[in-house]
């Protein structure tokens, strides 16, 4: 089987390389970081991701890191480009690194004139493929795209923490293709990686680019809608957002996924993809869009939850926040609402301690220097027994169960703020003053009595 190359071995590139290798492909990997190249060469995962280390260990013989991107290109039949596309001041994605990668690939192909497929996996703005990326590749290669030089746009629809599972079991596969032969070549490579039979949508670059950001914009809309329902239920005596969400989610037109009230969305994808979608829509329509309102709703979640905590605590009180990452299983705190709450409480003269298994649990996946000097506790039991208030910020059932076992030992009163309603059984404990997000006051009163 011919080799394929992966340019960029970060949060998505390293799992992609491992999945391709596990499917039987010989993989040539390149990353601009010498540390990453050395790490993978030594058989170690360069990023924290569920199952990644095991997959690299099992397929180490088929993953080779090279010192120059040109070497990866020349030694392969296809190059997958998985480099950053940072957001600019206007919310749009900057294609600088994608363009540079394509120029490098093109220059290498110009020397060999070998048939090659280039696959852009990084998320880009609509028309970026046609106006920036394809011209840069064609110019560097000094050949037209189509025929010998093929180009596809194939963004991933994955979630950090389950990247490998999602790559192997995609709901759908989106392919923007320069021509049918390009799409066929990509499918031949990817199909060996799948454990299911996903829907495959093949289309123009522009439609694929818009589809990518539209998917995440729609998901963020569902999340913010669920959080509005949560706010409403909190204001209604006996309101229960889980009962409402389960009812409306049973309608096939709506669906249950991402319809859980809690904290707002965060992480490296949802916030920026939503802003990018809004930027494109406003440039086309000239007026504000639903996406901008979705962001406003999301931004107020941390603020309103912080206010609820401040109302029940006093300056100097010790508050323990459980969960820092933006979602369970992901060692990422980018745009984490838990971090925002912790910082706001500290500015309001509360003594804030934080616990996350990926920080305090020994994995070291989140480095302490990333936490803006927040106090990380190691002994969860001791922290749960001594805090004046406990905030469950992460929808992590395992962490919630551990907390619940310690709360059963408490004798002194403690406020428990449970945004995801995972600790509802603790509401019956005499020492717990329970505040469940998305639950009306009468409902909580009944639970405590």
């Amino acid at each position: 089987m011919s080799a394929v190359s992966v340019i960029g071995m970060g949060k998505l590139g390293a799992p992609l390389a491992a999945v391709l290798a596990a499917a039987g492909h010989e993989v040539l990997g390149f990353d601009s970081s010498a540390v990453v190249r050395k790490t993978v060469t030594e058989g170690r995962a360069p990023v924290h991701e569920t199952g990644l280390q095991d997959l690299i260990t099992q397929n180490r013989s088929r993953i080779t890191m090279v010192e120059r991107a040109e070497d990866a290109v020349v030694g392969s039949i296809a190059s997958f480009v998985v480099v950053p596309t940072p957001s600019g001041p206007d919310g749009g994605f900057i294609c600088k690194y994608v363009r540079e990668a394509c120029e490098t690939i093109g220059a290498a192909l110009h020397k060999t004139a070998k048939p090659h497929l280039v696959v852009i996996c990084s998320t880009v703005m609509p028309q970026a493929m046609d106006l920036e990326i394809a011209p840069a590749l064609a110019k560097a290669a000094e050949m037209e795209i189509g025929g010998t030089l093929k180009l596809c746009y194939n963004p991933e629809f994955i979630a950090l923490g389950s990247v490998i599972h999602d790559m192997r079991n995609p709901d759908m596969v989106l392919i923007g293709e320069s021509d049918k032969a390009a799409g066929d070549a990509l499918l031949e490579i990817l199909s060996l990686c799948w454990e299911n039979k996903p829907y495959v949508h093949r289309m123009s670059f522009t439609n694929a680019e818009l589809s990518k950001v539209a998917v995440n914009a729609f998901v963020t809309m569902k999340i913010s809608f669920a959080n509005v329902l949560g706010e409403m239920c909190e204001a209604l005596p006996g309101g229960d957002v889980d009962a409402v969400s389960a009812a409306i989610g049973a309608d096939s037109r709506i669906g249950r996924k991402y319809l859980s009230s809690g904290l707002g969305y965060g992480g490296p994808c949802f916030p920026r993809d939503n802003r990018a979608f809004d930027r494109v829509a406003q440039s086309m329509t000239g007026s504000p869009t639903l996406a901008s309102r979705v962001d406003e709703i999301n931004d107020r979640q941390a603020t309103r939850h912080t206010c609820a905590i401040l109302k029940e605590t006093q300056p100097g009180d010790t508050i323990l926040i459980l969960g820092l990452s933006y979602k369970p299983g992901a060692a990422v705190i980018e745009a984490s609402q838990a971090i925002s709450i912790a910082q706001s409480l500290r500015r309001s003269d509360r003594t804030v301690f934080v616990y996350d298994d990926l920080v305090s649990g020994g994995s070291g996946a989140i480095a302490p220097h990333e936490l803006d000097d927040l106090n990380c506790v190691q002994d969860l039991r001791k922290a749960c027994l001594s805090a004046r208030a406990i905030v469950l910020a992460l929808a992590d059932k395992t962490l919630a169960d551990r907390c619940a076992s310690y709360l059963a030992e408490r004798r002194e009163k403690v406020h428990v703020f449970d945004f995801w309603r995972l600790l509802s059984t603790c509401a019956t404990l005499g020492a717990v003053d329970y505040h469940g997000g998305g639950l009306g006051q009468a409902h909580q009163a009944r639970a405590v009595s």
Side-chain angles (χ1 to χ4, degrees), residues 291-304:
S292 59
R293 184 60 177 148
V294 165
D295 261 349
E296 290 175 16
I297 294 169
N298 191 66
D299 291 344
R300 77 170 180 242
Q301 298 310 308
T303 300
R304 77 181 188 88

Side-chain angles (χ1 to χ4, degrees), residues 186-222:
L186 177 57
L187 280 175
E188 187 175 346
I189 295 170
L190 293 181
S191 61
L192 296 177
C193 301
W194 301 331
E195 296 176 346
N196 64 345
K197 294 182 179 179
Y199 290 104
V200 177
H201 299 271
R202 300 170 63 169
M203 58 192 74
S204 68
F205 291 144
T206 297
N207 286 331
E209 290 161 334
L210 181 56
S211 295
K212 166 56 178 172
V213 292
V215 165
N216 280 353
F218 192 88
V219 171
T220 59
M221 180 182 67
K222 288 189 72 174

Side-chain angles (χ1 to χ4, degrees), residues 384-388 406-414 431:
C384 285
L385 293 178
S386 61
R388 180 71 179 86
Y406 302 140
L407 286 174
E409 302 178 34
R410 284 205 55 134
R411 296 295 178 264
E412 294 183 20
K413 201 74 170 179
V414 59

